[in-house]
Amino acid sequence: STLDSLDYRCGPERLVFFIDLHDDKQGVAWPTLASGSKGNLTLELFKQSVSLIVITRSKMAIPTEYALCVLLDSAVQMLEFTSDTVQFLHQVRGL
């Protein structure tokens, strides 16, 4: 079966990405090239993974809406579903 034979009559698929940022000590520290300061490898890998998934699905023309749920120190931030991949990736990269 090919992507052309898939049936999207029920609407776009909806994907929600979750990340826990409530504890700054989580994740693996790694030096950045630009300043030598420490970054969070877990967060950077999350951003790259989400970007890869979104870009791949976009190139495959799979109708998809994306949302982002972020656990912070004292709140949960939920970004609304969007099919605008540029806007969504901008939000993810801004974490």
Side-chain angles (χ1 to χ4, degrees):
S1 91
T2 65
L3 287 177
D4 295 334
S5 67
L6 294 178
D7 188 358
Y8 294 112
R9 285 182 289 182
C10 295
E13 292 180 10
R14 292 182 135 193
L15 296 180
V16 181
F17 296 96
F18 294 88
I19 187 161
D20 181 354
L21 298 178
H22 86 280
D23 187 358
D24 290 337
K25 296 175 186 165
Q26 285 186 341
V28 178
W30 62 298
T32 60
L33 294 176
S35 65
S37 64
K38 298 292 182 182
N40 185 324
L41 181 58
T42 304
L43 177 57
E44 293 306 314
L45 290 175
F46 173 80
K47 291 178 189 181
Q48 290 179 16
S49 299
V50 169
S51 295
L52 181 62
I53 291 167
V54 170
I55 290 167
T56 301
R57 292 180 70 83
S58 177
K59 289 186 180 207
M60 294 173 67
I62 299 173
T64 310
E65 291 183 348
Y66 305 96
L68 183 63
C69 186
V70 183
L71 179 60
L72 302 169
D73 287 334
S74 61
V76 174
Q77 180 182 11
M78 176 72 179
L79 303 175
E80 296 291 324
F81 278 101
T82 182
S83 57
D84 183 342
T85 57
V86 173
Q87 175 193 3
F88 181 74
L89 289 176
H90 179 71
Q91 293 171 335
V92 169
R93 292 178 183 137
L95 291 175

